[in-house]
Each structure stands twice: as structure tokens, then as C-alpha cells.
Amino acid sequence: MDVQKIREVIRRRNETHDEYDYGVEMCDKEEIQILSEDIPSTINYLQNQCTADEFSFGLVRLLMT
């Protein structure tokens, strides 16, 4: 999994207004694609590299959709 890429998408999603449906949807799709490319490295990222902000602002929000 490309950590820099997921961090960029999370940053871009956080800067996207919630009412901009197309932008939100594109970020969500890109996050899912990156996270699902290599499950073992995604698990490693979540356990060892993911910051609290990345987890709460990016990944938890994605899971709630």
C-alpha cells in the first residue's frame, strides 16, 4: 500500500466540502482502491503507521459511509 498516496487522499477528502457529493465520492473510491490493493500492507499501516488523525478523519469516516 502506498502510504503517501493514502495520506494525500485523506488530506484532499478533509479539504472537500461534505456537500460536494462528486468530490466526496471520488475520494472515497480512491481510498477504497488504495486500501484494498494489498491487504497485509494495509493492516501493517493501520497497526503501525496510521496516525490518530488519519484514522479518525479519514478511515473511520470512510467506514461509516
Side-chain angles (χ1 to χ4, degrees), residues 1 33-43:
M1 189 192 86
Q33 180 182 6
I34 294 166
L35 293 171
S36 63
E37 285 174 354
D38 181 7
I39 301 301
S41 68
T42 296
I43 292 169

Side-chain angles (χ1 to χ4, degrees), residues 15-29:
E15 294 174 354
T16 302
H17 194 280
D18 288 339
E19 293 181 15
Y20 178 44
D21 292 334
Y22 179 76
V24 170
E25 184 177 329
M26 295 310 296
C27 288
D28 288 351
K29 284 182 180 182

Side-chain angles (χ1 to χ4, degrees), residues 5-63:
K5 202 171 180 183
I6 194 68
R7 287 182 172 154
E8 171 62 26
V9 175
I10 291 170
R11 182 197 60 75
R12 193 175 38 205
R13 171 56 185 97
N14 289 337
E15 294 174 354
T16 302
H17 194 280
D18 288 339
E19 293 181 15
Y20 178 44
D21 292 334
Y22 179 76
V24 170
E25 184 177 329
M26 295 310 296
C27 288
D28 288 351
K29 284 182 180 182
E30 195 170 351
E31 283 181 59
I32 292 167
Q33 180 182 6
I34 294 166
L35 293 171
S36 63
E37 285 174 354
D38 181 7
I39 301 301
S41 68
T42 296
I43 292 169
N44 181 57
Y45 163 72
L46 292 171
Q47 290 177 333
N48 302 308
Q49 296 175 305
C50 185
T51 68
D53 284 344
E54 289 168 347
F55 188 75
S56 64
F57 294 123
L59 303 174
V60 169
R61 180 208 40 79
L62 180 63
L63 294 171

